[in-house]
């Protein structure tokens, strides 16, 4: 399994229909990811339909040539590891929309978040509720761990940092184990422009869950900086439950200590445009990052998630799983899953997965896994990505057993999300997510109770029991 | 006593935008308590008949009728047909990720009965039926058909038949791909349902093997989209001896 020659392998699969064979062929001589590809894609890529980016590079894309891309083409970067990072907004020119970082985002709908203009003092209220033993304070620029894990990677993030002289600081002291989550509420005000910086620090051997909940309106660019100390175990949940007109650009980045365990969970249901980048970098060997995402886009929503696992230390793990559903003509989702295994990251084990379920015509999901491997000495690297329509055969099967259509649809959609939702592992959050998905489904297929037939109403109690799926899906985890 | 009656059924499918007629006037009646075997060569339209009875959207009915005790089955939606008492054990059962067998069975039972089953009895019924079919109880918490072997999928279909108690069950090649032991287990399951009441069974098969365990009252030879001949169990023996040649030639000559 470990190849002595160090080499660089780039896998980028914009089109999941091709992913089966082409992506597999790409890795065939490099890593044992091959098996993973073949199995996963073959088994799970739906026969139905694939809606994917036409502008993203195909497998084997010549990255050198990409830099001299013609005007109108995407301007691609050579390696994810070379993306500029800076606290100075002037290091990031105003984007044109052709940049790798921005090419999926509707720049005209960002509420001025890319303009160098002041933000409003009263744009957002941040309230922290923390159990005893947790330190809550503020950090100026350069104070404490602020800036040690997160450096802005795009113009919006740099402007947000410049507009946030003080950051909210939540620190879980060393060896403190929390029984209940820290709750951070961010409430945005409609029509305002806001910026923010939250630093979550779990000192070594501490254990905590931090839930950050975004509600309300306005346009917000913010940073969530996470430092997970050696041997600590930290779960950060970022809930985007914004009002319909909100815009949210968020860079969320963690530095994962030696033998630490970091879990990041993005749940995005509300907002007009939400663009959330979730990154894990490792500060020592043995770190473990699990990055999960659940999103549900309706008409008019653009929900974009970018995950990045930057492996620069040996024997670390990353496991990325995002699932999304789309309904309504103009619903739009984007998932970019970057994984970089640098030369020093021997023994890395990584897996990433994205699945999109398109419930209605006209919705569009882009799904781009990018896997860069600079060492042959890894434990495993796999990815899977597929976008499919609602599976009519599943629906037929359930209905042929007497289950009414609306109930059957709910079963299938809940089932689609089940494995990722169960991995969240924070019961209060899991419940809220399932309830929120139910509410989205009410929009999609109408509330079950609203269907008059007695059999339908009676079927509800059976559904109330959460589907308990046994066994994790096949993966490199 | 119930009757399922198929009269002059014509069904076509879309292939490359063109409708192709698959069923060309099927006539068949079956009463509760009876078991009819349907045997015919590959591609003769047996599964098409099964799916058409169940209401699969891919198949377009272009003529004829299907009635259950006089009720127009073709006017019913897929789930209404099931609630009227029809059941299809599929040749290729579908995987439903994230939905456990136990949730699925309970939801189906609830939909069929119009109320949730009494929990204690239901759990016991499921357990008994699974153990009769030599299914590991762990299957209850697995996702529907996901990662099941071919034989396990077939047992799962018969498990549903036992628990959902249809008036008429169409078993589409439930015997295919089973080894002798599994075939016996599945046949015993079908026989338990038959013994338990007055279910009518339409048994689609290629092989007479299963007919030694599940004795049919009537055998239909299905060729080129219609019933070419109907007879008693001895017809199956003739097919075993001589194959379908006689019938296929007769159709070609006509
Ligand atoms: N959905 C479909 N689309 C296109 N053609 C179809 C479809 N379903 C059936 N057919 C065609 O109709 C004919 C009958 O198929 P069917 O599956 O009913 O046969 P069968 O008798 O069940 O065969 P087997 O014994 O192999 O199961 C075949 O030629 C098949 O290719
Ligand atoms: Mg068939």
């Amino acid at each position: 399994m470990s190849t002595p020659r160090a080499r660089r392998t780039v896998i980028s699969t914009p089109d999941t229909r091709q992913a089966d064979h082409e992506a597999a062929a790409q890795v065939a001589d490099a890593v044992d990811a091959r098996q993973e590809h073949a199995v996963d894609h073959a088994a799970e890529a739906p026969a139905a339909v694939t809606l994917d980016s036409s502008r993203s590079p195909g497998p084997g894309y010549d990255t050198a040539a990409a830099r001299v891309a013609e005007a109108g083409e995407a301007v691609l970067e050579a390696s994810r590891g070379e993306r500029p990072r800076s606290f100075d907004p002037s290091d990031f020119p105003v984007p044109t929309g052709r940049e790798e970082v921005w090419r999926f985002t509707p720049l005209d709908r960002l509420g001025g978040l890319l303009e160098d203009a002041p933000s409003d003092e009263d744009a957002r209220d941040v309230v922290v509720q923390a159990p005893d033993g947790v330190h809550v304070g503020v950090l100026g620029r350069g104070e404490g761990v602020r800036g040690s894990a997160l450096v802005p990677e795009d113009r919006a993030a740099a402007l947000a940092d410049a507009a946030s002289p003080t950051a909210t600081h939540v620190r879980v002291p060393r060896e403190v184990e929390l029984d209940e989550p820290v709750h951070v509420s961010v409430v945005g005000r409609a029509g305002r422009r806001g910026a923010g910086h939250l630093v979550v620090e779990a000192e070594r051997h501490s254990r905590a869950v931090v839930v950050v909940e975004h509600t309300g309106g306005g346009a917000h660019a913010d940073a969530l900086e996470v430092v997970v100390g050696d041997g600590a175990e930290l779960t950060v949940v970022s809930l985007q439950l914004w009002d319909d007109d909100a815009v949210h650009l968020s860079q969320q980045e963690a530095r994962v200590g030696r033998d630490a365990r970091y879990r990041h969970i993005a749940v995005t249901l509300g907002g007009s445009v939400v663009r959330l980048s979730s990154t894990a970098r490792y500060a020592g060997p043995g770190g473990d990052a699990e990055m999960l995402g659940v999103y549900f886009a309706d008409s008019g929503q653009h929900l974009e998630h970018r995950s990045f696992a930057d492996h620069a230390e040996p024997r670390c793990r990353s496991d990325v799983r995002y699932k999304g559903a789309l309904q309504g003509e103009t619903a739009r989702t984007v998932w970019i899953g970057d994984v970089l295994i640098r030369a020093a990251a021997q023994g890395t084990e990584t897996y990433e997965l994205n699945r999109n379920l398109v419930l209605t015509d006209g919705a569009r999901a882009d799904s781009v896994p990018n896997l860069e491997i600079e060492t042959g000495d890894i434990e495993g690297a796999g990815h899977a990505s597929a976008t499919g329509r609602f599976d009519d055969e599943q629906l037929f099967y359930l209905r042929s057993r007497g289950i009414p259509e609306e109930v059957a649809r709910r079963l299938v959609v809940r089932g689609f999300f089940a494995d990722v939702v169960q991995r969240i592992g924070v019961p209060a959050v899991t419940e809220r997510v399932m309830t929120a998905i139910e509410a989205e489904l009410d929009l999609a297929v109408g509330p079950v109770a609203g269907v008059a037939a007695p059999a339908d109403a009676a079927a509800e109690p059976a559904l109330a029991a959460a589907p308990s799926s046994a066994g994790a899906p096949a993966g490199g985890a | 006593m119930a009757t399922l009656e198929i009269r002059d059924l014509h069904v076509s499918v879309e292939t490359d935008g063109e409708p192709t007629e698959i069923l060309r006037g099927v006539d068949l009646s079956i009463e509760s308590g009876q078991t009819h075997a349907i045997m015919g060569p590959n591609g003769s339209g047996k599964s098409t008949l099964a799916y058409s009875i169940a209401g699969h959207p891919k198949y377009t009915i272009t003529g004829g009728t299907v009635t259950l005790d006089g009720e127009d089955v073709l006017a019913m939606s897929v789930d209404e047909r099931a609630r009227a008492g029809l059941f299809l054990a599929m040749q290729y059962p579908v995987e439903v990720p994230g939905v456990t067998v136990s949730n699925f069975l309970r939801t189906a039972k609830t939909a069929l009965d119009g109320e949730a089953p009494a929990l204690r009895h239901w759990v016991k019924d499921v357990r008994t039926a699974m153990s009769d079919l030599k299914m590991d109880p762990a299957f209850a918490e697995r996702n529907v058909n996901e990662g099941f072997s071919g034989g396990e999928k077939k047992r799962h279909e018969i498990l549903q038949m036992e628990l959902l108690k249809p008036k008429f069950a169409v078993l589409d090649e439930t015997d295919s791909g089973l080894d002798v032991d599994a075939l016996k287990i599945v046949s015993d399951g079908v026989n338990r349902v038959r013994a338990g009441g007055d279910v009518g069974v339409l048994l689609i098969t290629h092989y007479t093997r299963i007919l030694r365990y599940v004795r049919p009252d009537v055998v239909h030879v299905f060729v080129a989209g219609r019933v070419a001949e109907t007879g008693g169990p001895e017809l199956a023996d003739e097919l075993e001896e001589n194959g379908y040649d006689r019938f296929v030639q007769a159709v070609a000559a006509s």
Side-chain angles (χ1 to χ4, degrees):
Chain A
M1 99 156 52
S2 57
T3 319
R5 291 160 296 166
R7 75 175 93 211
R8 181 183 181 78
T9 310
V10 180
I11 303 155
S12 178
T13 50
D15 183 338
T16 49
R17 274 172 305 188
Q18 298 168 4
D20 298 22
H21 46 282
E22 289 187 50
Q26 280 289 310
V27 260
D29 68 336
V31 288
D32 59 342
R34 183 170 45 135
Q35 205 69 4
E36 190 84 52
H37 279 272
V39 170
D40 203 331
H41 281 296
E44 297 198 51
V49 107
T50 306
L51 304 165
D52 259 304
S53 164
S54 51
R55 289 165 70 202
S56 52
Y61 193 89
D62 185 339
T63 48
R67 277 190 276 190
V68 289
E70 291 167 46
E73 291 288 300
V75 180
L76 297 153
E77 57 198 9
S79 164
R80 179 63 176 85
E82 287 166 27
R83 183 169 299 173
R85 306 170 80 205
S86 169
F87 288 101
D88 183 356
S90 68
D91 286 340
F92 300 99
V94 177
T96 62
R98 289 197 294 275
E99 299 76 7
E100 170 63 32
V101 187
W102 291 108
R103 64 201 180 92
F104 291 100
T105 315
L107 296 181
D108 53 340
R109 287 168 55 192
L110 299 186
L113 288 175
L114 297 173
E115 289 159 24
D116 194 352
S119 49
D120 301 306
E121 287 293 326
D122 61 347
R124 49 204 263 150
D125 291 326
V126 179
V127 177
V128 181
Q129 281 175 287
D132 287 347
V134 177
H135 168 93
V136 180
V138 294
L139 288 178
R141 215 170 274 115
E143 273 180 12
V145 295
R146 179 171 175 182
S148 70
L150 185 149
V151 180
E153 274 200 323
D154 62 44
R155 185 174 169 84
L159 288 168
D161 187 79
S164 307
T166 52
T168 305
H169 185 208
V170 173
R171 182 169 59 86
V172 184
R174 72 165 74 151
E175 291 173 29
V176 168
E177 300 194 1
L178 300 183
D179 298 329
E180 52 179 303
V182 176
H183 195 266
V184 181
S185 156
V186 178
V187 182
R189 204 156 279 131
R192 302 289 203 281
R193 172 178 174 170
H197 194 128
L198 171 66
V199 177
V200 175
E201 184 180 5
E203 291 187 345
R204 76 174 136 87
H205 291 115
S206 65
R207 235 165 91 178
V209 174
V210 177
V211 178
V212 185
E213 180 172 341
H214 301 93
T215 56
H220 302 266
D222 56 27
L224 172 52
E225 180 166 15
V226 180
V227 178
V228 192
D230 293 350
E233 197 177 316
L234 176 68
T235 297
V236 173
V237 183
S238 184
L239 300 171
Q240 287 63 244
L241 308 174
W242 298 103
D243 292 344
D244 286 348
D245 57 352
V247 176
H248 186 202
L249 306 180
S250 191
Q251 182 173 335
Q252 311 196 342
E253 190 156 337
R255 183 159 55 88
V256 181
R258 186 188 186 104
D259 299 320
R261 178 148 193 252
Y262 171 57
R263 306 178 71 239
H264 179 275
I265 296 144
V267 176
T268 305
L269 303 166
S272 163
V273 177
V274 175
R275 190 181 120 118
L276 188 156
S277 312
S278 169
T279 295
R281 301 182 199 266
Y282 301 83
D288 186 339
E290 185 176 11
M291 297 192 264
L292 307 177
V294 172
Y295 48 91
F296 203 129
D298 298 317
S299 258
Q301 284 188 300
H302 174 100
L303 307 182
E304 178 170 342
H305 294 87
R306 294 172 165 258
S307 56
F308 180 29
D310 186 350
H311 286 273
E313 293 285 337
R315 294 184 307 283
C316 291
R317 292 180 58 232
S318 59
D319 190 352
V320 181
R321 292 165 198 256
Y322 275 73
K323 283 201 170 184
L326 300 86
Q327 64 186 359
E329 284 244 327
T330 54
R332 182 90 162 76
T333 66
V334 177
W335 174 80
I336 313 289
D338 294 328
V339 174
L340 170 58
I341 305 174
R342 297 179 191 257
Q346 295 106 13
T348 293
E349 194 179 336
T350 175
Y351 182 73
E352 60 171 5
L353 168 146
N354 175 233
R355 294 259 182 277
N356 296 294
L357 181 57
V358 179
L359 296 171
T360 57
D361 284 342
R364 178 184 160 126
D366 285 280
S367 179
V368 185
N370 291 307
L371 180 54
E372 292 177 75
I373 304 171
E374 296 176 348
T375 172
D377 180 12
I378 61 171
E379 275 298 310
H383 77 233
S385 141
T387 297
R389 282 180 192 279
F390 205 88
D391 187 336
D392 289 333
E393 294 298 326
Q394 290 176 13
L395 205 57
F396 172 73
Y397 188 75
L398 297 173
R399 292 183 68 194
S400 76
R401 272 45 177 159
I403 300 171
E405 180 169 3
E406 312 76 45
V407 179
R409 277 184 173 272
R410 275 160 191 275
L411 271 182
V412 171
V413 176
R414 288 181 66 126
F416 170 78
F417 282 113
D419 55 343
V420 170
V421 171
Q422 272 152 31
R423 276 169 183 264
I424 292 175
V426 183
V429 173
T430 306
E431 258 165 55
R432 288 193 65 177
V433 171
M434 267 348 253
T435 308
I437 289 172
E438 289 295 330
E440 296 282 350
L441 286 169
D442 284 345
L443 295 174
V445 301
V448 163
V451 182
D456 300 344
E460 266 281 84
L463 282 172
S468 57
S469 103
Chain B
M1 174 72 104
T3 309
L4 179 68
E5 199 166 327
I6 301 162
R7 282 283 158 267
D8 195 28
L9 188 67
H10 289 256
V11 172
S12 59
V13 294
E14 287 265 316
T15 41
D16 304 323
E18 295 280 305
T20 311
E21 182 163 69
I22 310 288
L23 299 188
R24 304 189 166 101
V26 178
D27 288 304
L28 197 160
S29 283
I30 173 169
E31 300 196 337
S32 42
Q34 293 184 327
T35 296
H36 291 204
I38 298 180
M39 305 184 73
N42 289 124
S44 57
K46 304 180 299 294
S47 292
T48 301
L49 175 63
Y51 278 126
S52 300
I53 294 170
H56 194 291
K58 257 193 213 147
Y59 300 90
T60 310
I61 314 292
T62 54
T65 57
V66 177
T67 54
L68 175 59
D69 288 335
E71 294 279 324
D72 183 0
V73 169
L74 299 178
M76 300 177 197
S77 69
V78 175
D79 42 291
E80 281 169 351
R81 294 178 199 208
R83 293 199 294 273
L86 297 176
F87 178 86
L88 168 60
M90 291 183 203
Q91 187 171 2
Y92 304 108
V94 181
E95 300 187 2
V96 191
V99 178
T100 61
V101 166
S102 78
N103 188 14
F104 164 60
L105 292 173
R106 200 175 55 237
T107 307
K109 186 68 175 173
T110 303
L112 291 173
D113 292 359
E115 59 179 356
L119 203 58
R120 193 139 30 91
H121 290 293
W122 175 246
V123 169
K124 195 169 135 260
D125 288 353
V126 173
R127 232 181 255 145
T128 308
M130 288 182 78
S131 124
D132 286 345
L133 286 164
K134 310 253 182 321
M135 288 177 80
D136 189 315
F139 274 89
E141 293 315 313
R142 284 179 59 176
N143 294 333
V144 171
N145 292 323
E146 203 174 49
F148 288 22
S149 72
E152 286 161 355
K153 284 181 181 169
K154 298 301 175 74
R155 283 180 213 200
H156 180 226
E157 295 293 284
I158 299 307
L159 174 71
Q160 294 166 52
M161 180 185 171
E162 289 207 60
L163 291 168
L164 302 180
K165 307 195 184 338
K167 287 184 186 155
F168 288 97
V170 182
L171 310 185
D172 190 1
E173 297 203 25
T174 302
D175 56 329
S176 291
L178 298 182
D179 60 27
V180 179
D181 291 339
L183 180 70
K184 275 192 200 147
I185 291 166
V186 161
S187 301
D188 287 347
V190 175
N191 287 331
R192 272 194 301 277
V193 181
R194 294 205 302 166
D198 13 51
V199 67
V201 177
L202 267 180
L203 192 79
I204 296 172
T205 180
H206 275 286
Y207 311 102
T208 48
R209 198 175 58 144
I210 190 173
L211 304 182
R212 278 183 236 129
Y213 302 104
V214 182
R215 296 296 301 171
D217 306 296
V218 178
V219 174
H220 304 278
V221 183
F222 206 82
V223 180
R226 60 159 69 98
V227 175
E229 189 159 319
T230 296
E234 70 288 346
L235 190 52
D237 300 329
E238 190 206 324
L239 290 173
E240 177 95 324
E241 284 290 293
N242 307 321
Y244 299 109
D245 284 357
R246 170 164 82 84
F247 305 98
V248 174
Q249 276 155 20
V251 168
S254 69

